[in-house]
């Protein structure tokens, strides 16, 4: 029998601001699903969707239980249009006033991400059951604003409502997201009182909350006391270590988790790739990538973006591009990661090409995309392009520049030698310049030997952060390069008086999952004698090939010959000699440095790359340098 039902109800009737008119379209009366069919119904198939539509007319007159599987289907399929039709249906049938039905409707709106409508529904309900409160808290924790989740949780507590093992993980997730440690600790004490600390989901959420609030010791304490752990608890602790810079610890935990038989999930992979990127141990990163491919997580776009970042930061730009190209879906983070990677590896053209592709694909850039693009221009000295992007950001995408965007432009102008323009640009900033703006100007002054502006920038930086040793060091470097040793001594004395210490230059190289780190004039490595012998041979070969040490880069007031010796033992050269000794002759050498590589080492490595016929990649604080056949990819512009 053909039954035609049409109902048009204004959602306003129950308080919805939208005047959306829901219509249950003409449908055939089919098999009526019962609760036993729920399992079948919730599968996201087209047939089930048809069944859902077919079931609607009968619901009006018969079984209110039928709504549940239908709403559940809408949740699983994120079918919000059908969900709204069902909502309209419940109003016609009058079942909307049953707590059982309204709970499901709140759940449907919250899970489909329409949190405002969930809240409207929630506010109209009376009486509300504890489960509805929990649903609403979960909705806010998943969709934001997270503060609302905390407020509702406080109201639940005031009303002495029964809390359960669903409420705690949700509200903890909300406090983790906004780093609300105080609130998180209060929730912890509530968990202890109610006895839910033994619950695996609650315990894992606690670990995650402490980890994200960067109280990693407390996260460990909770983790150690858990009677059993799952992938969420392990991932939470690994993230905590990573966020606190305890990268080695994070890697050890990851290994332990695997030994314990835990199957890492997308979140674990994404975190551990970032850890590998931080410590730049490529071999280990590759092994984990294999595991990720086997587990099927490499196709997730947010895992992919971490993987792109890992390969790029480890110096393998080609691998990063391969991962990026193979991603079935690319999110904004993946595009941003790939653009910035190209920029840092001196592939400005490729980076800007990617940005055009990105725009053509219809994606909308965010403020971070523009930071990436501006930094690409700055690395390549593309002044006009950079200024064009800076203008386009506000004009075409309505993104107001943040102080970081201004830093990029100052860096771009300054590096390319337009120091006065950079200074003017700072004066015209609509907000107070942040430290990185002055840092960019100071760096440019060191590069171009501008003492006057350099002094101004260093003073501004010291005002903002009196304990910033980096600014003083840069200023003393400017004086040293100009041979003004009295001024150097003054700056050094001031640093001593204030107890400021220069950051030690450190270079490291990863070999077979082990990191070897070196400082200047290192004498701690077990193979140090062989390394110095290798350096000596290299130096002789370089000098024969025409290399002359550039002593401007020795920033001490010492005799010329002594300066040469000091230059010879900079940490990047020691790491390079060790790398050359310890790897097969056809492999690429990848060295990381925590400071900017000095001009003399840069020149020396160019010579060495030609002598040994190997590609040498050095990452410093600014960018990647790919040395090959006596030239560097940065074209000496860094
Ligand atoms: Zn050097
Ligand atoms: Zn270079």
């Amino acid at each position: 029998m053909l039954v035609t039902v049409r109902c048009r109800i204004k959602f306003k009737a129950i308080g919805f601001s939208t005047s959306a008119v829901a219509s249950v379209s003409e449908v055939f009366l089919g098999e009526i699903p019962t609760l036993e069919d729920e399992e079948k119904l919730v599968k996201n198939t087209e047939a089930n969707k048809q069944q859902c539509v077919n079931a609607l007319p009968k619901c009006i007159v018969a079984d209110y239980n039928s709504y549940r599987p239908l709403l559940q289907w809408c949740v699983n399929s994120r079918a919000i249009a059908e969900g709204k039709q069902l909502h309209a249906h419940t109003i016609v049938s009058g079942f909307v006033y049953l707590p059982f039905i309204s709970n499901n409707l709140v759940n449907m709106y919250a899970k489909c991400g329409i949190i405002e409508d969930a809240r409207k529904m929630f506010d109209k309900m009376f009486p509300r059951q504890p489960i509805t409160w929990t649903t609403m808290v979960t909705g806010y924790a998943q969709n934001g604003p997270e503060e609302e989740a905390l407020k509702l949780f406080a109201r639940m507590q005031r009303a002495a409502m029964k809390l359960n093992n669903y409420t705690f993980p949700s509200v903890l997730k909300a406090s983790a997201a906004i780093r609300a440690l105080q609130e998180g600790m209060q929730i912890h004490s509530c968990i202890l009182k109610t006895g839910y600390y033994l619950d695996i989901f609650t315990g894992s959420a606690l670990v995650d909350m402490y980890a994200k609030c960067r109280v990693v010791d407390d996260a460990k304490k909770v983790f150690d006391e858990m009677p059993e752990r799952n992938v969420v608890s392990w991932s939470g602790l690994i993230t905590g270590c990573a966020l606190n810079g305890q990268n080695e610890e994070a890697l050890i935990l990851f290994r332990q988790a695997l030994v314990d038989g835990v199957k890492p999930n997308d979140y674990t992979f994404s975190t551990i790739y970032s850890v590998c990127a931080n410590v730049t141990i490529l071999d280990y990163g590759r092994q984990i990538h294999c595991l990720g491919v086997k587990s099927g997580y490499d196709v997730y776009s947010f895992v992919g973006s971490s993987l792109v970042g890992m390969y790029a930061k480890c110096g393998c730009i080609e691998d990063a591009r391969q991962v990026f190209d193979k991603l079935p879906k690319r999110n904004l983070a993946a595009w941003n990661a790939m653009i910035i990677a190209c920029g840092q590896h001196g592939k400005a053209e490729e980076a800007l090409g990617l940005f055009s592709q990105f725009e053509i694909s219809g994606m909308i850039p965010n403020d971070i995309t523009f930071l990436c693009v501006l930094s690409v221009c700055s690395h390549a000295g593309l002044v006009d392009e950079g200024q064009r992007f800076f203008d386009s950001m506000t004009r075409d995408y309505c993104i107001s520049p943040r102080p970081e965007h201004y830093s990029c432009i100052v860096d771009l102008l300054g590096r390319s030698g337009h120091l006065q323009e950079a200074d003017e640009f700072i004066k015209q900033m609509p907000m107070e310049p942040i430290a990185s703006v002055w840092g960019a100007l100071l760096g440019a002054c060191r590069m171009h030997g501008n003492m006057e502006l350099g002094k101004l920038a260093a003073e501004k930086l010291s005002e903002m952060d009196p304990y910033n040793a980096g600014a003083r060091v840069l200023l003393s470097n400017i004086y040293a390069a100009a041979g003004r040793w009295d001024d150097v001594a003054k700056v050094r004395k001031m640093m001593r008086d204030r107890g400021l210490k220069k950051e030690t230059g450190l270079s490291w190289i990863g070999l077979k999952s082990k990191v070897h780190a070196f400082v200047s004039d290192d004498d701690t490595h077990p193979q140090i004698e062989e390394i110095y012998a290798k350096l000596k041979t290299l130096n002789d070969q370089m000098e024969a090939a025409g290399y002359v040490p550039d002593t401007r880069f020795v920033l001490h007031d010492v005799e010329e010959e002594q300066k040469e010796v000091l230059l010879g033992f900079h940490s990047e050269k020691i790491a390079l000699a060790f790398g050359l000794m310890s790897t097969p002759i056809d492999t690429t050498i990848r060295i990381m440095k925590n400071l900017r590589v000095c001009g003399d080492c840069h020149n020396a490595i160019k010579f060495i790359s030609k002598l040994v016929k190997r590609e040498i990649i050095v990452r410093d604080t600014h960018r990647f340098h790919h040395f090959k056949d006596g030239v560097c990819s940065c074209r000496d512009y860094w």
Side-chain angles (χ1 to χ4, degrees):
M1 189 178 70
L2 180 71
V3 179
T4 306
V5 180
R6 178 179 283 272
C7 59
R8 287 181 174 275
I9 303 110
K10 289 213 167 184
F11 273 74
K12 265 196 173 143
I14 51 160
F16 280 80
S17 59
T18 51
S19 59
V21 176
S23 83
V24 178
S25 45
E26 286 116 44
V27 288
F28 293 101
L29 178 64
E31 281 291 298
I32 307 304
T34 61
L35 276 178
E36 289 79 59
D37 291 330
E38 188 172 341
E39 276 286 293
K40 256 191 279 163
L41 264 170
V42 295
K43 285 181 190 153
N44 308 332
T45 62
E46 266 307 299
N48 282 335
K49 182 179 175 185
Q50 199 51 50
Q51 228 174 339
C52 170
V53 178
N54 288 346
L56 289 173
K58 195 64 184 282
C59 295
I60 299 176
V61 288
D63 188 4
Y64 66 80
N65 270 327
S66 301
Y67 284 113
R68 192 169 158 222
L70 299 178
L71 284 166
Q72 189 58 45
W73 176 82
C74 293
V75 168
N76 289 5
S77 314
R78 300 288 183 267
I80 192 62
E82 285 83 354
K84 283 187 174 178
Q85 288 185 12
L86 276 172
H87 185 181
H89 224 280
T90 59
I91 297 166
V92 172
S93 62
F95 287 135
V96 72
Y97 297 107
L98 287 178
F100 163 74
I101 297 293
S102 36
N103 278 344
N104 274 287
L105 283 168
V106 171
N107 182 46
M108 187 268 295
Y109 282 117
K111 293 260 169 68
C112 289
I114 309 184
I115 195 73
E116 299 82 10
D117 287 357
R119 183 59 189 259
K120 275 177 198 150
M121 187 84 211
F122 175 84
D123 286 340
K124 292 268 165 194
M125 280 173 69
F126 192 80
R128 296 181 204 109
Q129 296 174 330
I131 185 178
T132 321
W133 285 83
T134 299
T135 305
M136 208 53 232
V137 168
T138 311
Y140 279 125
Q142 282 167 348
N143 301 289
E146 287 83 1
E147 288 82 358
E148 284 300 320
L150 296 177
K151 280 186 201 160
L152 280 186
F153 180 78
R155 277 172 65 188
M156 284 178 88
Q157 272 189 306
R158 277 200 296 276
M161 223 170 273
K162 191 163 165 36
L163 305 164
N164 62 27
N165 56 340
Y166 289 101
T167 330
F168 289 120
S170 293
V171 72
L172 285 168
K173 182 181 158 90
S175 23
I178 52 171
R179 318 264 181 273
L181 179 62
Q182 284 304 320
E183 287 81 352
M185 285 164 79
Q186 286 169 19
I187 299 163
H188 190 176
S189 77
C190 184
I191 290 167
L192 290 173
K193 279 183 215 152
T194 47
Y196 277 106
Y197 57 93
L198 295 173
D199 172 61
I200 187 164
F201 299 107
T202 307
S204 303
L206 262 176
V207 172
D208 187 59
M209 186 274 294
Y210 279 119
K212 297 232 171 88
C213 291
R214 310 207 171 189
V215 196
V216 79
D217 289 342
D218 286 350
K220 269 183 199 152
K221 230 185 259 171
V222 177
F223 181 85
D224 288 339
E225 284 168 8
M226 284 174 76
E228 52 173 341
R229 295 150 194 152
N230 61 10
V231 63
V232 180
S233 17
W234 280 99
S235 301
L237 194 56
I238 293 171
T239 309
C241 291
L243 286 174
N244 280 278
Q246 302 174 356
N247 292 309
E248 225 166 288
E249 185 93 273
L251 288 171
I252 293 170
L253 278 170
F254 181 71
R255 238 173 274 164
Q256 266 177 22
L258 293 180
V259 172
D260 265 29
V262 174
K263 283 204 167 61
N265 61 16
D266 44 355
Y267 182 66
T268 332
F269 277 112
S270 167
T271 309
I272 209 71
Y273 289 144
S274 311
V275 172
C276 290
N278 291 344
V279 286
T280 56
I281 46 170
L282 182 60
D283 289 348
Y284 196 54
R286 277 197 206 280
Q287 286 173 25
I288 299 173
H289 182 190
C290 286
L291 192 66
V293 172
K294 278 187 207 155
S295 324
Y297 285 118
D298 59 319
V299 292
Y300 285 49
S301 54
F302 85 97
V303 179
S305 59
S306 310
L307 198 51
V308 167
M310 180 195 82
Y311 277 121
K313 285 188 186 147
C314 289
C316 302
I317 185 71
E318 288 81 13
D319 294 74
R321 183 66 204 244
Q322 226 171 37
V323 170
F324 178 80
D325 286 341
K326 278 189 186 159
L327 278 178
K329 247 185 165 180
R330 295 169 195 137
N331 63 4
L332 192 55
W335 280 97
N336 288 350
M338 197 62 232
I339 293 173
I340 191 83
C342 286
Q344 284 178 333
H345 284 267
K347 292 172 177 282
E349 222 169 279
E350 194 177 328
L352 297 185
L354 273 169
F355 183 72
S356 309
Q357 265 184 45
F358 169 86
E359 279 188 313
I360 292 165
S361 72
M363 295 215 30
I364 309 290
N366 64 2
D367 53 336
I368 298 172
T369 319
F370 277 102
L371 270 183
C372 298
V373 174
L374 289 176
S375 135
V376 168
C377 296
S378 158
H379 280 306
L382 304 170
V383 179
D384 293 344
E385 282 86 345
Q387 280 179 330
R388 224 175 28 239
F389 282 123
F390 187 77
D391 296 338
S392 147
M393 187 165 113
T394 324
R395 190 189 56 230
D396 303 331
Y397 295 102
C398 302
I399 301 172
S400 317
R402 288 191 281 123
E404 289 80 2
H405 295 96
Y406 284 92
S407 305
C408 273
I409 295 288
V410 172
D411 194 48
L412 171 68
L413 291 170
R415 275 165 191 264
S416 54
H418 301 81
L419 284 168
Q420 291 307 329
E421 279 179 46
D423 186 36
E424 283 302 311
F425 187 77
I426 296 176
K427 283 181 188 145
Q428 284 165 17
M429 276 176 69
M431 71 278 279
E432 273 300 303
I434 54 169
S436 66
V437 173
W438 294 116
L441 184 68
L442 180 57
C445 290
R446 189 209 44 78
M447 200 171 163
H448 297 285
N450 187 320
M451 243 176 297
E452 200 185 320
L453 269 180
K455 210 174 147 194
L456 169 87
E459 273 165 12
K460 292 279 183 191
L461 266 175
S462 309
E463 272 171 30
M464 286 176 162
D465 180 5
Y467 295 97
N468 180 348
R472 314 277 176 182
V473 173
L474 270 177
L475 183 63
S476 82
N477 288 2
I478 295 177
Y479 289 139
R484 289 176 51 165
W485 300 111
D486 291 348
D487 288 322
V488 173
K490 266 187 226 158
V491 177
R492 294 270 156 105
K493 184 178 179 300
M494 193 202 295
M495 285 177 71
R496 268 198 308 277
D497 292 348
R498 294 197 181 180
L500 302 180
K501 277 210 178 94
K502 183 180 167 185
E503 193 180 352
T504 313
L506 193 70
S507 296
W508 62 98
I509 181 166
L511 289 180
K512 294 184 189 133
S513 303
K514 192 171 185 306
V515 175
H516 298 259
F518 301 91
V519 291
S520 290
D521 307 312
D522 203 307
D523 57 0
T524 53
H525 196 273
Q527 285 166 278
I528 201 67
E529 276 178 29
E530 286 169 67
I531 296 173
Y532 280 127
K534 176 80 185 168
L535 259 181
K536 173 88 183 58
T537 325
L538 279 172
N539 257 331
D540 294 347
Q541 286 175 325
M542 274 154 50
E543 274 172 25
Y547 160 77
V548 182
D550 189 342
T551 52
R552 283 179 307 157
F553 297 101
V554 177
L555 304 166
H556 303 279
D557 186 9
V558 286
E559 296 302 316
E560 283 298 311
E561 200 183 333
Q562 179 66 14
K563 279 185 189 177
E564 272 184 42
V565 174
L566 288 172
L567 276 172
F569 302 137
H570 274 180
S571 62
E572 53 267 56
K573 280 190 191 148
I574 302 177
L576 176 57
F578 173 70
L580 289 170
M581 281 163 38
S582 326
T583 51
I585 47 167
D586 52 350
T587 43
T588 303
I589 303 225
R590 294 183 170 82
I591 295 167
M592 311 292 158
K593 186 169 183 190
N594 66 337
L595 302 174
R596 183 181 178 276
V597 59
C598 88
D600 178 67
C601 286
H602 193 269
N603 190 27
I605 300 171
K606 283 200 280 188
F607 272 92
I608 296 173
S609 73
K610 196 168 184 184
L611 280 171
V612 298
K613 297 190 178 63
R614 284 168 78 164
E615 189 177 356
I616 301 163
I617 300 173
V618 179
R619 189 201 76 184
D620 67 3
T621 39
H622 287 267
R623 62 179 302 145
F624 279 88
H625 303 265
H626 291 246
F627 297 92
K628 207 176 174 185
D629 288 330
V631 281
C632 178
S633 62
C634 75
R635 295 187 210 101
D636 300 335
Y637 185 86
W638 86 102

PDB file of all heavy atoms in Angstrom, residues 553 566-567 569-573 593 596-602, ligand 1:
ATOM      1  N   PHE A 553      85.059  35.230  11.489  1.00  0.00           N
ATOM      2  CA  PHE A 553      84.059  34.474  12.226  1.00  0.00           C
ATOM      3  C   PHE A 553      84.556  33.914  13.558  1.00  0.00           C
ATOM      4  O   PHE A 553      83.842  33.204  14.225  1.00  0.00           O
ATOM      5  CB  PHE A 553      83.480  33.362  11.345  1.00  0.00           C
ATOM      6  CG  PHE A 553      82.780  33.923  10.162  1.00  0.00           C
ATOM      7  CD1 PHE A 553      83.380  33.949   8.924  1.00  0.00           C
ATOM      8  CD2 PHE A 553      81.526  34.495  10.309  1.00  0.00           C
ATOM      9  CE1 PHE A 553      82.734  34.504   7.839  1.00  0.00           C
ATOM     10  CE2 PHE A 553      80.872  35.068   9.228  1.00  0.00           C
ATOM     11  CZ  PHE A 553      81.484  35.074   7.993  1.00  0.00           C
ATOM     12  N   LEU A 566      90.920  27.859  16.003  1.00  0.00           N
ATOM     13  CA  LEU A 566      89.593  27.821  16.602  1.00  0.00           C
ATOM     14  C   LEU A 566      88.522  27.541  15.555  1.00  0.00           C
ATOM     15  O   LEU A 566      87.589  26.797  15.781  1.00  0.00           O
ATOM     16  CB  LEU A 566      89.289  29.144  17.316  1.00  0.00           C
ATOM     17  CG  LEU A 566      90.066  29.374  18.607  1.00  0.00           C
ATOM     18  CD1 LEU A 566      89.844  30.781  19.116  1.00  0.00           C
ATOM     19  CD2 LEU A 566      89.665  28.360  19.667  1.00  0.00           C
ATOM     20  N   LEU A 567      88.689  28.163  14.381  1.00  0.00           N
ATOM     21  CA  LEU A 567      87.723  27.938  13.304  1.00  0.00           C
ATOM     22  C   LEU A 567      87.694  26.483  12.876  1.00  0.00           C
ATOM     23  O   LEU A 567      86.652  25.933  12.571  1.00  0.00           O
ATOM     24  CB  LEU A 567      88.118  28.768  12.078  1.00  0.00           C
ATOM     25  CG  LEU A 567      87.679  30.211  12.018  1.00  0.00           C
ATOM     26  CD1 LEU A 567      88.341  30.870  10.829  1.00  0.00           C
ATOM     27  CD2 LEU A 567      86.182  30.300  11.893  1.00  0.00           C
ATOM     28  N   PHE A 569      87.922  23.896  14.479  1.00  0.00           N
ATOM     29  CA  PHE A 569      87.264  22.938  15.368  1.00  0.00           C
ATOM     30  C   PHE A 569      85.849  23.318  15.756  1.00  0.00           C
ATOM     31  O   PHE A 569      85.370  22.984  16.813  1.00  0.00           O
ATOM     32  CB  PHE A 569      88.134  22.713  16.615  1.00  0.00           C
ATOM     33  CG  PHE A 569      89.500  22.219  16.273  1.00  0.00           C
ATOM     34  CD1 PHE A 569      90.637  22.718  16.892  1.00  0.00           C
ATOM     35  CD2 PHE A 569      89.658  21.234  15.298  1.00  0.00           C
ATOM     36  CE1 PHE A 569      91.901  22.258  16.557  1.00  0.00           C
ATOM     37  CE2 PHE A 569      90.921  20.770  14.953  1.00  0.00           C
ATOM     38  CZ  PHE A 569      92.049  21.279  15.579  1.00  0.00           C
ATOM     39  N   HIS A 570      85.162  24.054  14.905  1.00  0.00           N
ATOM     40  CA  HIS A 570      83.737  24.309  15.157  1.00  0.00           C
ATOM     41  C   HIS A 570      82.980  22.986  15.117  1.00  0.00           C
ATOM     42  O   HIS A 570      83.352  22.067  14.377  1.00  0.00           O
ATOM     43  CB  HIS A 570      83.171  25.271  14.108  1.00  0.00           C
ATOM     44  CG  HIS A 570      83.375  26.712  14.477  1.00  0.00           C
ATOM     45  ND1 HIS A 570      82.951  27.739  13.698  1.00  0.00           N
ATOM     46  CD2 HIS A 570      83.930  27.281  15.570  1.00  0.00           C
ATOM     47  CE1 HIS A 570      83.244  28.890  14.279  1.00  0.00           C
ATOM     48  NE2 HIS A 570      83.849  28.627  15.416  1.00  0.00           N
ATOM     49  N   SER A 571      81.902  22.918  15.908  1.00  0.00           N
ATOM     50  CA  SER A 571      81.239  21.628  16.101  1.00  0.00           C
ATOM     51  C   SER A 571      80.738  21.004  14.795  1.00  0.00           C
ATOM     52  O   SER A 571      80.754  19.787  14.634  1.00  0.00           O
ATOM     53  CB  SER A 571      80.083  21.783  17.080  1.00  0.00           C
ATOM     54  OG  SER A 571      79.130  22.674  16.567  1.00  0.00           O
ATOM     55  N   GLU A 572      80.294  21.859  13.827  1.00  0.00           N
ATOM     56  CA  GLU A 572      79.766  21.265  12.587  1.00  0.00           C
ATOM     57  C   GLU A 572      80.865  20.576  11.792  1.00  0.00           C
ATOM     58  O   GLU A 572      80.633  19.559  11.133  1.00  0.00           O
ATOM     59  CB  GLU A 572      79.019  22.287  11.730  1.00  0.00           C
ATOM     60  CG  GLU A 572      79.749  23.570  11.386  1.00  0.00           C
ATOM     61  CD  GLU A 572      79.467  24.683  12.380  1.00  0.00           C
ATOM     62  OE1 GLU A 572      79.698  24.457  13.584  1.00  0.00           O
ATOM     63  OE2 GLU A 572      79.045  25.772  11.957  1.00  0.00           O
ATOM     64  N   LYS A 573      82.109  21.121  11.888  1.00  0.00           N
ATOM     65  CA  LYS A 573      83.214  20.489  11.158  1.00  0.00           C
ATOM     66  C   LYS A 573      83.585  19.159  11.816  1.00  0.00           C
ATOM     67  O   LYS A 573      83.896  18.184  11.122  1.00  0.00           O
ATOM     68  CB  LYS A 573      84.439  21.416  11.140  1.00  0.00           C
ATOM     69  CG  LYS A 573      84.322  22.498  10.080  1.00  0.00           C
ATOM     70  CD  LYS A 573      85.638  23.228   9.941  1.00  0.00           C
ATOM     71  CE  LYS A 573      85.481  24.474   9.110  1.00  0.00           C
ATOM     72  NZ  LYS A 573      86.395  25.522   9.521  1.00  0.00           N
ATOM     73  N   LYS A 593      72.462  21.541  13.463  1.00  0.00           N
ATOM     74  CA  LYS A 593      73.147  22.448  14.376  1.00  0.00           C
ATOM     75  C   LYS A 593      72.130  23.311  15.105  1.00  0.00           C
ATOM     76  O   LYS A 593      71.127  23.712  14.518  1.00  0.00           O
ATOM     77  CB  LYS A 593      74.145  23.320  13.585  1.00  0.00           C
ATOM     78  CG  LYS A 593      74.963  24.158  14.527  1.00  0.00           C
ATOM     79  CD  LYS A 593      76.137  24.856  13.939  1.00  0.00           C
ATOM     80  CE  LYS A 593      76.818  25.549  15.135  1.00  0.00           C
ATOM     81  NZ  LYS A 593      77.830  26.456  14.779  1.00  0.00           N
ATOM     82  N   ARG A 596      73.202  29.162  14.141  1.00  0.00           N
ATOM     83  CA  ARG A 596      73.406  29.426  12.719  1.00  0.00           C
ATOM     84  C   ARG A 596      74.817  28.955  12.346  1.00  0.00           C
ATOM     85  O   ARG A 596      75.763  29.172  13.106  1.00  0.00           O
ATOM     86  CB  ARG A 596      73.268  30.932  12.507  1.00  0.00           C
ATOM     87  CG  ARG A 596      73.377  31.380  11.101  1.00  0.00           C
ATOM     88  CD  ARG A 596      73.244  32.903  11.102  1.00  0.00           C
ATOM     89  NE  ARG A 596      73.393  33.427   9.755  1.00  0.00           N
ATOM     90  CZ  ARG A 596      74.551  33.674   9.184  1.00  0.00           C
ATOM     91  NH1 ARG A 596      75.674  33.450   9.839  1.00  0.00           N
ATOM     92  NH2 ARG A 596      74.600  34.149   7.959  1.00  0.00           N
ATOM     93  N   VAL A 597      74.931  28.299  11.187  1.00  0.00           N
ATOM     94  CA  VAL A 597      76.259  27.840  10.763  1.00  0.00           C
ATOM     95  C   VAL A 597      77.087  29.077  10.405  1.00  0.00           C
ATOM     96  O   VAL A 597      76.585  30.026   9.817  1.00  0.00           O
ATOM     97  CB  VAL A 597      76.131  26.844   9.572  1.00  0.00           C
ATOM     98  CG1 VAL A 597      75.433  27.460   8.386  1.00  0.00           C
ATOM     99  CG2 VAL A 597      77.479  26.311   9.151  1.00  0.00           C
ATOM    100  N   CYS A 598      78.374  29.084  10.809  1.00  0.00           N
ATOM    101  CA  CYS A 598      79.155  30.301  10.576  1.00  0.00           C
ATOM    102  C   CYS A 598      79.647  30.349   9.125  1.00  0.00           C
ATOM    103  O   CYS A 598      79.709  29.327   8.445  1.00  0.00           O
ATOM    104  CB  CYS A 598      80.308  30.417  11.567  1.00  0.00           C
ATOM    105  SG  CYS A 598      81.817  29.603  11.059  1.00  0.00           S
ATOM    106  N   GLY A 599      79.940  31.552   8.680  1.00  0.00           N
ATOM    107  CA  GLY A 599      80.314  31.766   7.284  1.00  0.00           C
ATOM    108  C   GLY A 599      81.525  30.954   6.874  1.00  0.00           C
ATOM    109  O   GLY A 599      81.594  30.433   5.750  1.00  0.00           O
ATOM    110  N   ASP A 600      82.487  30.804   7.782  1.00  0.00           N
ATOM    111  CA  ASP A 600      83.691  30.057   7.434  1.00  0.00           C
ATOM    112  C   ASP A 600      83.387  28.571   7.279  1.00  0.00           C
ATOM    113  O   ASP A 600      83.843  27.931   6.331  1.00  0.00           O
ATOM    114  CB  ASP A 600      84.773  30.264   8.504  1.00  0.00           C
ATOM    115  CG  ASP A 600      85.997  29.450   8.155  1.00  0.00           C
ATOM    116  OD1 ASP A 600      86.641  29.779   7.141  1.00  0.00           O
ATOM    117  OD2 ASP A 600      86.281  28.476   8.864  1.00  0.00           O
ATOM    118  N   CYS A 601      82.587  28.019   8.212  1.00  0.00           N
ATOM    119  CA  CYS A 601      82.233  26.597   8.095  1.00  0.00           C
ATOM    120  C   CYS A 601      81.446  26.376   6.802  1.00  0.00           C
ATOM    121  O   CYS A 601      81.627  25.372   6.113  1.00  0.00           O
ATOM    122  CB  CYS A 601      81.398  26.143   9.285  1.00  0.00           C
ATOM    123  SG  CYS A 601      82.373  25.966  10.787  1.00  0.00           S
ATOM    124  N   HIS A 602      80.551  27.325   6.483  1.00  0.00           N
ATOM    125  CA  HIS A 602      79.749  27.227   5.267  1.00  0.00           C
ATOM    126  C   HIS A 602      80.660  27.106   4.045  1.00  0.00           C
ATOM    127  O   HIS A 602      80.472  26.238   3.187  1.00  0.00           O
ATOM    128  CB  HIS A 602      78.849  28.463   5.170  1.00  0.00           C
ATOM    129  CG  HIS A 602      77.756  28.358   4.157  1.00  0.00           C
ATOM    130  ND1 HIS A 602      77.917  28.774   2.871  1.00  0.00           N
ATOM    131  CD2 HIS A 602      76.502  27.857   4.243  1.00  0.00           C
ATOM    132  CE1 HIS A 602      76.783  28.562   2.202  1.00  0.00           C
ATOM    133  NE2 HIS A 602      75.908  27.998   3.018  1.00  0.00           N
TER     134      HIS A 602
HETATM  135 ZN1  LIG B   1      82.043  27.587  12.009  1.00  0.00          ZN
END
